[in-house]
Amino acid sequence: MSRPTGTDSRWVVFDYEVMMFRKMCSLLANGNQEYADLSWYVKNAVTESAILHTRQLADILLSRGSQPDDINLQTLLPGFQPQGLNTLRQHYGDNRTANTPCWTINKRLAHATSQRGDSFDYSSLLNGLVPLLEGILVEVQDQRARVAG
C-alpha cells in the first residue's frame, strides 16, 4: 500500500481499513454471485478478511490501542464521541468475556486457541456489528469533513 504525499498516514490506514471492511462485507452479502463462484478456501479468506478488518475498525473506533503508534479515534479526532460508540462498546465486548464478538474474533480467528475448529459461522457476529460500525463511520466521516473545513 503506497501513501500519497502530504497525507496523514493515520488517515490513510483508517481509510484502507474502512475500504477493506466494506468491500469484504459487500462480497459476503446474500446473493453475491462473485462470492458464490469462489472456491471454498477463497471464501474462507474473504470471511477472515472481513472479520479482521471489522476487528481493526472496532479497535480504532473504541481507542483500544495501548502503544504510542497505535491509531485510534482519539488520535484521529481528539475529543470526538460518536453517538453510537457506547452501543458498539457494549455490543463488541472484550477479550475476557466469553462469546462476545471481541472474544469470538480473538479465540476463533486471530489467535490459535483450542476454541477454534475447522469452521465457524460469523454471520450473526457480522450482522450485529456491521450496522453499528457503519453508523459510526458516517459520524466520523461527517466530523472529519467539519474539522477539515
Side-chain angles (χ1 to χ4, degrees):
M1 178 174 75
S2 63
R3 180 166 43 112
T5 305
T7 302
D8 184 335
S9 65
R10 296 171 304 173
W11 281 111
V12 170
V13 171
F14 179 80
D15 292 341
Y16 173 79
E17 292 300 332
V18 170
M19 187 249 332
M20 289 298 292
F21 163 76
R22 288 178 169 158
K23 295 284 188 187
M24 295 302 105
C25 289
S26 174
L27 277 173
L28 292 173
N30 285 335
N32 185 312
Q33 190 59 48
E34 185 179 1
Y35 178 78
D37 292 341
L38 298 172
S39 60
W40 70 268
Y41 53 89
V42 177
K43 286 179 182 176
N44 281 358
V46 169
T47 301
E48 291 173 358
S49 182
I51 298 298
L52 289 173
H53 292 291
T54 298
R55 179 182 191 237
Q56 289 289 347
L57 283 176
D59 285 349
I60 290 169
L61 294 171
L62 294 171
S63 296
R64 290 205 169 166
S66 61
Q67 301 301 312
D69 61 344
D70 285 344
I71 297 168
N72 59 55
L73 185 59
Q74 288 309 303
T75 60
L76 293 170
L77 295 169
F80 178 62
Q81 175 82 15
Q83 290 181 349
L85 201 59
N86 285 333
T87 302
L88 174 64
R89 184 174 286 109
Q90 291 170 354
H91 180 78
Y92 189 66
D94 59 52
N95 62 5
R96 293 173 306 282
T97 306
N99 301 315
T100 62
C102 180
W103 181 91
T104 300
I105 291 169
N106 284 334
K107 293 292 186 177
R108 297 200 179 269
L109 180 67
H111 303 286
T113 71
S114 61
Q115 299 295 323
R116 288 180 73 167
D118 63 353
S119 66
F120 186 76
D121 183 356
Y122 291 98
S123 356
S124 63
L125 185 144
L126 284 172
N127 289 339
L129 286 174
V130 169
L132 293 174
L133 289 170
E134 282 294 351
I136 294 170
L137 293 174
V138 168
E139 290 185 70
V140 168
Q141 182 181 10
D142 291 346
Q143 181 66 18
R144 182 180 179 183
R146 278 193 287 281
V147 169

